[in-house]
C-alpha cells in the first residue's frame, strides 16, 4: 500500500522500487523498519535517490582521471541501505566494493555474485574459511595477518587475493612503514601472498592545502616502490579532488556518492541523494509571550503558528537541533521557504515556526523538508554540531525509507 502511495507522489518516469524490507536485514531490525514503513503513518520519511547515486558515481569516475572507481558501502552504505545502493552502483558499472566487516561482505556477496569485495577491518575480524566461502578479500593490516593469510592459502592450495593496508600517517588500521618493509623482505611469506591491491587512507583529504596530503603521498609512493606491479589506491571522496597524483589505480569514494560535499570549493559538485521530510501532526496558534516545548526555552515575540513534526531525537534528529538563545536556529523548509525550529527537540517531535507560510499551505499531513534541496546535508549537519557523515548514518538507519530509481535483477 505504501508503494502505491509513493508512485503517485513521484510521478511518471520515476519508480519507487525498493523498501527497507527488501533488504534482508536482520530479523530484529526488520521488525523495527516494518513498523515504520507505512508512510501514511510514519512521522518522517527518508527518500533515497538511487539514480542520483549512479550519477554521482559517474561524476567521480570522470573526476578520477582514468582510475577505476569503487565504492565504500560500509555501515549499511552510510545508513542508506547497502543492498539497494550496491545494486544500483553495480548496475552503473561499479565492480569494487569496500565494507568494514566480514558479515557485511557476506550479505553483499549474496546480492552481487560478480563484484570484488574488500573487507576493511582486516583478517582479524573473521575466519579465513568465511572469507574463502564468500570470496571476500581481507585488507590485511599487520605482519601477523599477512603471515596468517599466506599460511591459509598454502594450506588450501589456493591463491586467494588480498589487499595490504599500509598506514602512512592517519594512525588508524594498517601496517606501519617498517613492518611493511619487513613483510616485503620476507620472501617465503610474499611467495604465498597474492596481493591484489595496495591501499592507504588520507587523514586530511578535504583540506587541499594541508601538509599531511603531500606527506602521505610521498610515504605511499615509497610503499608502492616496494611492490611496483600491484595496483594502488589512496583516495577517498575528497582525495579524488586532490589531483591525479592521488587517484592512482583505484579510488574509494563513500560520502560523495551519497551526495555529501567532498570539500574543495564552495559548491558541492555532487547531486543530492537524500531527502528527509517530517510530517506535520498538528498546527497550533500561540499568542505573543507564550512558550513552546520543554524548558520553555522559546518564547513567541508575536502571535505565531507552530507546526509539530513527527520526528525527534529517538529518530536520530540530533538534540543540538534545538533552538537556543545565542546561536542561529536550525531551519526546515516548505516550498523553498525557510522556517526556524523553535524550542527543544523532543523524543518524537519537533516544533517549527510556520507563521510566514501562507495559511492553508501547512496542515496535518503536510511534509516539510528537514534535509533536501533547500536545507543541504552540510547545513543540517553543521546546525546539529556534527558532520554530514554522522548525520547520514544516524538518519538513514532509523526512518521509513523509500527509494527512487529502478533496480534491475536480483
Ligand atoms: C570509509 C572509507 C572510505 C570512504 O571515505 P569517504 O570519505 O566517505 O569517501 C575510503 N577508504 C577507507 C579505508 C574508508 O574507511
Amino acid at each position: 500500500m505504501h508503494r502505491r502511495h509513493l508512485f503517485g507522489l513521484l510521478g511518471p518516469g520515476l519508480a519507487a522500487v525498493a523498501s527497507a524490507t527488501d533488504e534482508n536485514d536482520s530479523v530484529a531490525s526488520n521488525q523495527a523498519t516494518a513498523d515504520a514503513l507505512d508512510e501514511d503513518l510514519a512521522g518522517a520519511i527518508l527518500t533515497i535517490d538511487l539514480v542520483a547515486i549512479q550519477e554521482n558515481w559517474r561524476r567521480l569516475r570522470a573526476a578520477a582521471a582514468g582510475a577505476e572507481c569503487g565504492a565504500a558501502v560500509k555501515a549499511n552504505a552510510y545508513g542508506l541501505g547497502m543492498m539497494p545502493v550496491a545494486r544500483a552502483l553495480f548496475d552503473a558499472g561499479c565492480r569494487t566494493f569496500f565494507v568494514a566487516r566480514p558479515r557485511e561482505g557476506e550479505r553483499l556477496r549474496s546480492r552481487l555474485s560478480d563484484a570484488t569485495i574488500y573487507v576493511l577491518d582486516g583478517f582479524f575480524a573473521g575466519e579465513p574459511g568465511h572469507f574463502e566461502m564468500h570470496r571476500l578479500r581481507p585488507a590485511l593490516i599487520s605482519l601477523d595477518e599477512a603471515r596468517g593469510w599466506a599460511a591459509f592459502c598454502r594450506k588450501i592450495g589456493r591463491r586467494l587475493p588480498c589487499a595490504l593496508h599500509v598506514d602512512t600517517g592517519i594512525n588508524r588500521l594498517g601496517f606501519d612503514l617498517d613492518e611493511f618493509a619487513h613483510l616485503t623482505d620476507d620472501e617465503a611469506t610474499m611467495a604465498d601472498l597474492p596481493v591484489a591491491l595496495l591501499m592507504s587512507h588520507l587523514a586530511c583529504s578535504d583540506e587541499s592545502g594541508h601538509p599531511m596530503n603531500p606527506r602521505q603521498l610521498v610515504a605511499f609512493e615509497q610503499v608502492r616502490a616496494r611492490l611496483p606491479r600491484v595496483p594502488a589506491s589512496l583516495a577517498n571522496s575528497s582525495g579524488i579532488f586532490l589531483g591525479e597524483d592521488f587517484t592512482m589505480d583505484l579510488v574509494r569514494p563513500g560520502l560523495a556518492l551519497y551526495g555529501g560535499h567532498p570539500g574543495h570549493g564552495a559548491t558541492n559538485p555532487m547531486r543530492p541523494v537524500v531527502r528527509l521530510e517530517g510530517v506535520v501532526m498538528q498546527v497550533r496558534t500561540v499568542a505573543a509571550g507564550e512558550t513552546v516545548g520543554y524548558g520553555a526555552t522559546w518564547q513567541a515575540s508575536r502571535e505565531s503558528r507552530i507546526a509539530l513534526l513527527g520526528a525527534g531525537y529517538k529518530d536520530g534528529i540530533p538534540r543540538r537541533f534545538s533552538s537556543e538563545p545565542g546561536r542561529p536556529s536550525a531551519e526546515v523548509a516548505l516550498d523553498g521557504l525557510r522556517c526556524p525550529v523553535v524550542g527543544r527537540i523532543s523524543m518524537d517531535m519537533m516544533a517549527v515556526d510556520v507563521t510566514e507560510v501562507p495559511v492553508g499551505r501547512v496542515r496535518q499531513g503536510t511534509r516539510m523538508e528537514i534535509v533536501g534541496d533547500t536545507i543541504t546535508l552540510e547545513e543540517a549537519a553543521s546546525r546539529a554540531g556534527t558532520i554530514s557523515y554522522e548525520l547520514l548514518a544516524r538518519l538513514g538507519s532509523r526512518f521509513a525509507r523509500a527509494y527512487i530509481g529502478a533496480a534491475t535483477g536480483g
Side-chain angles (χ1 to χ4, degrees):
M1 180 205 168
H2 62 271
R3 290 190 191 193
R4 182 158 37 84
H5 185 62
L6 256 164
F7 274 110
L9 240 153
L10 296 168
L14 294 174
V17 291
S19 66
T21 47
D22 293 332
E23 274 202 65
N24 236 345
D25 274 320
S26 70
V27 177
S29 72
N30 251 347
Q31 190 49 49
T33 30
D35 288 346
L37 253 181
D38 189 334
E39 278 125 30
D40 291 333
L41 297 176
I45 296 129
L46 186 73
T47 306
I48 295 150
D49 187 344
L50 297 173
V51 178
I53 292 179
Q54 292 175 318
E55 171 62 20
N56 286 340
W57 181 80
R58 286 187 205 98
R59 287 182 192 181
L60 291 165
R61 186 185 52 178
E68 183 189 345
C69 189
V73 294
K74 64 188 181 207
N76 203 19
Y78 294 37
L80 303 186
M82 181 177 70
M83 300 300 240
V85 166
R87 182 74 230 180
L89 285 165
F90 190 89
D91 290 346
C94 183
R95 291 294 176 269
T96 303
F97 294 83
F98 294 85
V99 296
R101 313 290 303 176
R103 291 275 166 231
E104 292 179 305
E106 178 182 346
R107 280 183 65 216
L108 188 56
R109 175 59 75 213
S110 73
R111 176 62 67 95
L112 298 180
S113 55
D114 297 329
T116 296
I117 302 173
Y118 285 101
V119 176
L120 292 169
D121 282 2
F123 185 27
F124 159 82
E127 293 294 319
H130 185 258
F131 281 94
E132 182 202 5
M133 179 173 7
H134 301 290
R135 288 175 289 126
L136 308 176
R137 299 180 176 189
L140 304 173
I141 58 174
S142 69
L143 201 49
D144 274 355
E145 289 203 358
R147 288 185 175 143
W149 189 254
F152 180 67
C153 291
R154 212 174 297 133
K155 189 176 103 191
I156 64 170
R158 290 182 57 202
R159 293 177 57 79
L160 302 173
C162 62
L164 299 179
H165 192 169
V166 184
D167 189 89
T168 51
I170 190 173
N171 280 313
R172 297 200 321 182
L173 298 179
F175 282 84
D176 66 39
L177 297 174
D178 288 346
E179 206 182 9
F180 180 73
H182 216 80
L183 169 68
T184 51
D185 290 341
D186 177 349
E187 283 169 25
T189 302
M190 288 308 292
D192 288 320
L193 200 65
V195 183
L197 184 69
L198 268 181
M199 58 177 283
S200 188
H201 195 49
L202 295 164
C204 305
S205 57
D206 56 344
E207 297 175 55
S208 4
H210 203 290
M212 277 294 276
N213 295 321
R215 214 181 295 154
Q216 287 194 266
L217 181 64
V218 167
F220 194 49
E221 290 297 0
Q222 284 163 5
V223 165
R224 292 179 77 187
R226 290 189 153 260
L227 295 176
R229 284 195 303 276
V230 178
S233 175
L234 180 60
N236 63 335
S237 297
S238 307
I240 293 171
F241 296 89
L242 290 174
E244 276 184 44
D245 287 350
F246 287 81
T247 53
M248 301 182 181
D249 301 300
L250 169 71
V251 295
R252 314 183 303 266
L255 184 76
L257 291 170
Y258 312 124
H261 192 335
H264 313 292
T267 50
N268 184 351
M270 313 318 300
R271 227 167 95 173
V273 167
V274 298
R275 181 171 177 78
L276 178 65
E277 294 166 303
V279 179
V280 174
M281 301 188 294
Q282 189 174 30
V283 182
R284 62 188 313 120
T285 301
V286 305
E290 287 191 66
T291 63
V292 172
Y294 285 122
T297 57
W298 184 85
Q299 187 174 36
S301 59
R302 57 174 176 179
E303 182 177 285
S304 306
R305 277 182 306 126
I306 302 296
L308 284 315
L309 307 184
Y313 58 75
K314 76 145 193 332
D315 306 300
I317 302 286
R319 201 164 166 280
R320 266 297 298 273
F321 242 60
S322 303
S323 73
E324 242 177 54
R327 74 178 153 86
S329 302
E331 292 172 324
V332 302
L334 187 63
D335 307 331
L337 185 72
R338 290 165 168 272
C339 307
V341 171
V342 298
R344 290 189 182 154
I345 303 295
S346 305
M347 187 177 288
D348 46 22
M349 69 184 87
M350 59 196 274
V352 179
D353 184 345
V354 293
T355 313
E356 301 296 329
V357 176
V359 179
R361 174 63 185 92
V362 56
R363 53 174 180 269
Q364 197 168 48
T366 303
R367 296 175 176 201
M368 297 190 72
E369 174 192 309
I370 301 171
V371 174
D373 293 331
T374 306
I375 312 293
T376 64
L377 196 57
E378 281 68 32
E379 176 185 337
S382 111
R383 289 279 190 259
T386 181
I387 55 171
S388 44
Y389 291 84
E390 189 192 359
L391 190 65
L392 259 190
R394 292 171 77 122
L395 299 181
S397 32
R398 271 130 140 168
F399 289 103
R401 272 187 262 151
Y403 291 93
I404 297 172
T408 62

